[in-house]
Amino acid sequence: MPTAPINLHAPYKERIHDALHNKNLKTVLNRTVGRMSASRVAAMGAVDGEQLRRQVRQMKEYVLRNLPDLLEQFEANVEENGGHVHWAQDAADANRILLDLARRHAVQKVVKSKSMVTEEICLNDALEGAGVKVVETDLGEYIIQLAGEPPSHIVAPAAHKRIEDIAAVMQEKLDMPPTLDAEVMCSAARASLRREFLSADMGVSGCNFAIAETGTVCIATNEGNGRMVASLPRVYVAVMGIEKLVPSVEDAFLQLQALSRSSTGQQVTVYLSMTSGPRQPLDVDGPEEFHVVLLDNGRSEMLARGYGEALMCIRCGACLNICPVYREIGGHAYGSTYSGPIGSVISPMLAVEASEPEKLPYASSLCGACRDACPVMIDLPRLLLDLRHYYVQQGAPSWLERQAMQGFLKMMQSRKLYEAGGKMGSLGSNLLASFNGGAITHMPPPFSAWTKTRHFPPLARKSFRELWAERMERRKSISGREPGEG
Amino acid sequence: MRPTKQFATPPRRVALFVTCMVDTLYPEVGLAAAELLERHGVEVVFPYEQTCCGQPAFNAGFRDEARALARRYLDVFEPFIRQGVVDAIVVPSGSCAAMVTHFYSALFEDPSMAAERRRAEELAVVTFELTEFLVDVLGVTATGARFEGKVTYHASCHLLREMGIDEQPRTLLANVEDAELVDLVGHDECCGFGGLFSIKNPEISTAMGRRKCLNLEQSGADVVAMCDVSCLTHINGLLGKQGQHIRAVHIAEILNSQVDVVETPEELPRDEAPASVSKPPAAGGQPRRWQDVR
């Protein structure tokens, strides 16, 4: 039985609840997420991981500081190589550009290499709406396309599916005989995909990084499908966020290192496909036309609002794999294209289709494991805190929450109120606890959110300060000397 | 390593920032911390004006409110340092210590608050988490504690990742006599508390906590020690509800559970100890057993 996918458009609470109560999802998350994290730790440990992180960080800082210049340099070089560069302000812009290209070239079928940015702009829907057939060619992405689901992980789109779920989908959609043999399943997908590659008119990919000094779009894959997408069809279009640039070829390989080691724990991905322009007269293959769509979709505003650090992300997924929240709920529960800690930061700011993205900055215990795992050392907890602050400034918290915070502040600003509050709290909570064997087991909302699954201890009968004062009093009477300050 | 003051001679007096949670919920932890410090030759001063460091407000995004409490903290503790009454501030909590040493400067980031930022930074270098102070400043590696039972350690997130403190508590625990240290799978994974996170996202918080409890169960430990009573509240809340036998304790309670107590006048007479204070060690050379905790 396939995993019931989480409805991305359901309210936040419902999504979380469904995800937490999905047994198959739990199984698969327990299996894969920890393993991916362990691979990263091993791969980063095999080299001077900290040095690598510092270098990538430095490079990405340079990129952000010089973004306008690098973009222009990249554009000039792509065009010099015979390619075309399009600037898209938002998702609608980008989709229009791609639809125009498809129309102009009488495209009936598009093959795609796995790409988060085209998920972000819902490109498949736009193309299919115009009657163009779209085929995802990354195995994971292909599986979820067959299942009619969105990706649940930045690098492993089918991370929410068990092999049993995958087999069921493939049996249904590809006439595959019943099997759980991964090799047989791969062959079935391969046979089917090969036909699609050979009959496609246009290839569309995202971009892992693009080299400004040469005008080169790079895609890293493990299946070689990226190379087919970029070289077999007549037209190849790469869609990339404006932050994906690296200055030089050396920088590209630096980022590839960090990406490979942090995402899948490989030294390097099996394939790195680099496209600098269309087929030249003496080339044996390659597209007749090469286009790059540079997408903003909220990115320059992120930079302007002080969240530029999040634009250093290289989409490796390390923060998802280490996140204790992601491990419990998976990617779909986030209700956005981008999940995990980085998704919680960028989803509210990108013009991305997401349900209640303003809830995401609170979907973190701020444990900081993501920051330690991030190959670019992005301070994700800090960015989440900044977003929470932003929402408070916007007046987003409920009236009750704001009142509670004011009450809390008032009490904590006055020793008298604090001590009186403590006394009352002690009396009340001990009374409550006395009915339940010493622990508070039931509280009214909103605290019932705690007591539903957890006990709460009653406040001490005597606070530390009371005990301390008594202690000082005793010490004074015994030794006859003055107690310490305070 | 974070920048801290290097003391030419060991500090003789410290101010205890006991934290509001220890003050109101776990006074025995505060007393254990104070006794530990005193036993190592450090006099403890308790500034009564202290309340909360502002962490709950800061984490919820209420920065103006957090800043007001940060100012209060500076106003309360700064004179003790400035007038030389104490040499350092000691906090028996990783997250409150992180708030004071790490996030206050973020609260006063605005150029118009440069003066307060400087004040915060000056206090940050003399503010220490309890085990950090014992090991790094006093050079203590063993507190002379005896504790009978299997003990494991949970690394609280802010202590581990903001403060970079991990070896210190582990060293101290490893040197507790009779205690058998056992490994904890996922020792550095969040327990799911996260302050208001536990109320705003109760289901996720609980799922994270249950995973922690499962790992605790499998560790075979009798008690799990930690340097933060907020994690302790969450873990014990879950363990209690689920009827599990293992208990979370603050590390100070273990490090202070010793038999050869030097008879000092400030020692709490046993008959006067209130119910919420953990019992002083049994007399007659019997090591304190884990069952005695709480």
Side-chain angles (χ1 to χ4, degrees):
Chain A
M1 202 182 77
T3 3
I6 312 301
N7 177 8
L8 262 71
H9 305 288
Y12 175 78
K13 266 197 169 151
E14 197 180 313
R15 291 198 308 266
I16 301 291
H17 181 84
D18 289 351
L20 285 169
H21 289 82
N22 188 321
K23 277 213 173 72
N24 292 349
L25 182 61
K26 202 176 206 66
T27 308
V28 76
L29 286 171
N30 281 339
R31 258 188 227 164
T32 52
V33 177
R35 196 177 57 214
M36 288 177 82
S37 250
S39 311
R40 171 187 57 81
V41 171
M44 288 299 270
V47 292
D48 188 347
E50 286 309 298
Q51 170 78 353
L52 179 58
R53 291 173 80 212
R54 276 193 299 274
Q55 285 178 330
V56 179
R57 170 81 189 196
Q58 221 169 15
M59 187 262 286
K60 298 305 272 185
E61 279 178 4
Y62 175 88
V63 169
L64 282 190
R65 271 200 307 273
N66 298 280
L67 197 52
D69 292 345
L70 289 170
L71 281 166
E72 281 180 14
Q73 189 191 4
F74 175 73
E75 180 184 31
N77 284 328
V78 169
E79 281 177 354
E80 201 184 303
N81 300 340
H84 305 276
V85 174
H86 310 262
W87 299 77
Q89 183 72 47
D90 53 25
D93 253 5
N95 286 335
R96 193 162 45 239
I97 291 163
L98 275 132
L99 279 178
D100 280 350
L101 285 170
R103 238 173 254 130
R104 193 154 14 108
H105 293 276
V107 169
Q108 292 184 323
K109 186 188 286 180
V110 166
V111 279
K112 282 183 70 204
S113 170
K114 197 195 105 52
S115 130
M116 290 310 288
V117 74
T118 57
E119 294 288 340
E120 174 186 331
I121 61 175
C122 302
L123 176 64
N124 292 13
D125 291 345
L127 287 171
E128 279 163 0
V132 178
K133 186 181 179 195
V134 182
V135 183
E136 294 287 352
T137 65
D138 169 84
L139 182 58
E141 196 78 36
Y142 184 51
I143 292 162
I144 58 168
Q145 188 187 27
L146 291 177
E149 295 168 19
S152 69
H153 189 287
I154 290 175
V155 292
H160 59 288
K161 287 205 165 307
R162 303 171 308 160
I163 190 162
E164 295 89 338
D165 308 325
I166 295 168
V169 172
M170 291 179 73
Q171 274 168 45
E172 189 196 331
K173 301 284 166 107
L174 296 182
D175 279 338
M176 188 187 72
T179 179
L180 286 182
D181 183 335
E183 234 170 272
V184 175
M185 290 163 72
C186 284
S187 305
R190 188 187 176 87
S192 159
L193 282 174
R194 193 51 59 114
R195 286 193 295 276
E196 307 286 8
F197 276 126
L198 292 172
S199 58
D201 309 293
M202 187 159 104
V204 174
S205 78
C207 166
N208 289 103
F209 38 88
I211 307 169
E213 69 172 6
T214 55
T216 306
V217 167
C218 306
I219 43 179
T221 74
N222 281 321
E223 295 158 27
N225 62 311
R227 183 157 303 166
M228 308 265 258
V229 163
S231 60
L232 272 180
R234 286 178 283 134
V235 188
Y236 169 41
V237 189
V239 185
M240 60 181 271
I242 52 170
E243 81 282 16
K244 288 283 179 179
L245 285 175
V246 296
S248 69
V249 176
E250 285 83 355
D251 297 324
F253 284 95
L254 181 71
Q255 182 159 336
L256 180 66
Q257 270 266 347
L259 177 65
S260 309
R261 290 182 188 274
S262 303
S263 58
T264 47
Q266 293 166 288
Q267 293 178 34
V268 70
T269 51
V270 179
Y271 292 86
L272 173 68
S273 307
M274 309 173 83
T275 306
S276 303
R279 177 197 299 220
Q280 302 296 314
L282 290 175
D283 288 352
V284 290
D285 59 11
E288 288 159 24
E289 275 192 30
F290 171 50
H291 296 264
V292 179
V293 179
L294 289 168
L295 177 74
D296 188 315
N297 209 31
R299 286 168 174 77
S300 38
E301 208 196 316
M302 260 170 77
L303 199 55
R305 277 172 58 188
Y307 294 92
E309 199 179 348
L311 291 177
M312 294 181 195
C313 171
I314 63 171
R315 304 279 189 272
C316 69
C319 63
L320 279 64
N321 299 335
I322 196 75
C323 178
V325 173
Y326 181 91
R327 188 177 46 185
E328 299 297 344
I329 63 175
H332 288 152
Y334 286 80
S336 158
T337 303
Y338 300 104
S339 56
I342 187 68
S344 294
V345 171
I346 64 178
S347 298
M349 284 186 283
L350 291 179
V352 54
E353 245 187 66
S355 157
E356 297 182 274
E358 72 282 358
K359 294 254 166 68
L360 295 181
Y362 298 91
S364 163
S365 66
L366 303 173
C367 80
C370 49
R371 179 187 47 207
D372 285 5
C374 176
V376 203
M377 304 197 277
I378 299 172
D379 195 346
L380 288 154
R382 181 67 203 277
L383 292 169
L384 291 169
L385 280 166
D386 286 350
L387 274 169
R388 293 181 186 184
H389 175 48
Y390 166 77
Y391 284 121
V392 169
Q393 283 178 312
Q394 298 296 302
S398 67
W399 180 86
L400 184 72
E401 192 179 341
R402 277 179 283 137
Q403 293 308 307
M405 196 51 78
Q406 290 316 313
F408 165 79
L409 176 65
K410 214 169 182 164
M411 184 170 85
M412 292 302 181
Q413 274 185 309
S414 148
R415 177 181 166 185
K416 244 192 199 142
L417 284 177
Y418 169 78
E419 288 176 354
K423 209 70 232 159
M424 273 166 50
S426 172
L427 288 171
S429 61
N430 277 293
L431 185 67
L432 260 177
S434 65
F435 301 124
N436 295 297
I440 299 166
T441 53
H442 295 88
M443 276 194 278
F447 304 107
S448 54
W450 176 286
T451 45
K452 207 172 157 201
T453 54
R454 295 158 284 204
H455 287 168
F456 198 81
L459 268 58
R461 287 183 196 278
K462 277 187 185 175
S463 66
F464 174 83
R465 56 185 60 230
E466 288 174 282
L467 292 173
W468 188 260
E470 289 175 8
R471 192 174 186 258
M472 282 306 161
E473 207 42 53
R474 264 199 309 277
R475 177 190 283 192
K476 195 169 138 191
S477 64
I478 294 170
S479 69
R481 66 187 165 104
E482 283 297 307
E485 268 74 9
Chain B
M1 280 295 284
R2 67 186 191 94
T4 51
K5 184 176 171 182
Q6 301 300 313
F7 293 93
T9 53
R12 300 302 306 272
R13 282 177 125 193
V14 300
L16 185 65
F17 172 43
V18 81
T19 79
C20 55
M21 277 186 84
V22 167
D23 189 11
T24 56
L25 283 161
Y26 307 100
E28 67 276 16
V29 170
L31 290 174
E35 284 172 19
L36 261 177
L37 290 165
E38 286 171 350
R39 192 169 319 113
H40 291 96
V42 178
E43 195 178 332
V44 176
V45 170
F46 179 76
Y48 281 97
E49 283 295 319
Q50 62 178 283
T51 55
C52 167
C53 64
Q55 187 181 194
F58 181 70
N59 282 357
F62 288 82
R63 292 222 175 141
D64 292 338
E65 289 76 1
R67 203 173 288 118
L69 291 177
R71 287 197 176 109
R72 180 185 171 84
Y73 178 90
L74 294 182
D75 289 343
V76 169
F77 282 93
E78 198 182 42
F80 284 83
I81 294 289
R82 185 152 284 177
Q83 293 161 19
V85 177
V86 301
D87 305 306
I89 302 161
V90 175
V91 195
S93 155
S95 60
C96 306
M99 182 69 201
V100 173
T101 59
H102 190 80
F103 293 112
Y104 275 8
S105 49
L107 278 174
F108 300 121
E109 207 162 46
D110 196 276
S112 67
M113 304 173 195
E116 277 160 313
R117 190 189 165 104
R118 217 170 18 254
R119 286 174 66 196
E121 284 166 355
E122 278 169 18
L123 274 200
V125 296
V126 292
T127 301
F128 298 89
E129 186 275 331
L130 176 67
T131 62
E132 179 190 30
F133 185 78
L134 287 170
V135 177
D136 295 350
V137 180
L138 296 185
V140 175
T141 51
T143 57
R146 277 177 81 183
F147 189 90
E148 197 181 83
K150 288 185 185 170
V151 181
T152 193
Y153 177 71
H154 161 73
S156 298
C157 298
H158 281 71
L159 181 83
L160 177 67
R161 299 195 187 86
E162 306 292 348
M163 305 286 290
I165 298 170
D166 197 42
E167 277 310 305
Q168 298 90 327
R170 288 180 193 278
T171 304
L172 294 172
L173 279 181
N175 293 324
V176 172
E177 255 182 82
D178 292 337
E180 184 189 339
L181 239 62
V182 296
D183 283 339
L184 174 63
V185 172
H187 56 89
D188 59 350
E189 284 168 7
C190 180
C191 72
F193 176 64
L196 284 178
F197 171 74
S198 61
I199 301 279
K200 273 188 189 264
N201 283 286
E203 286 194 283
I204 306 176
S205 165
T206 298
M208 288 161 69
R210 284 188 178 152
R211 189 184 291 267
K212 178 64 72 181
C213 291
L214 202 67
N215 286 334
L216 285 172
E217 192 77 61
Q218 283 166 358
S219 76
D222 300 312
V223 296
V224 50
M226 56 201 69
C227 299
D228 212 311
V229 293
S230 48
C231 314
L232 181 150
T233 303
H234 193 232
I235 293 174
N236 273 342
L238 284 156
L239 291 170
K241 185 88 174 186
Q242 289 155 203
Q244 283 175 262
H245 196 47
I246 181 169
R247 282 291 168 271
V249 296
H250 191 278
I251 195 166
E253 297 175 271
I254 292 194
L255 298 181
N256 193 45
S257 57
Q258 58 156 42
V259 269
D260 308 310
V261 192
V262 186
E263 283 300 322
T264 48
E266 55 266 36
E267 187 61 32
L268 258 179
R270 223 182 145 176
D271 51 349
E272 280 183 32
S276 57
V277 176
S278 44
K279 293 185 191 93
Q286 283 300 309
R288 188 172 174 199
R289 295 169 313 138
W290 69 271
Q291 289 93 339
D292 296 336
V293 177
R294 224 159 293 273

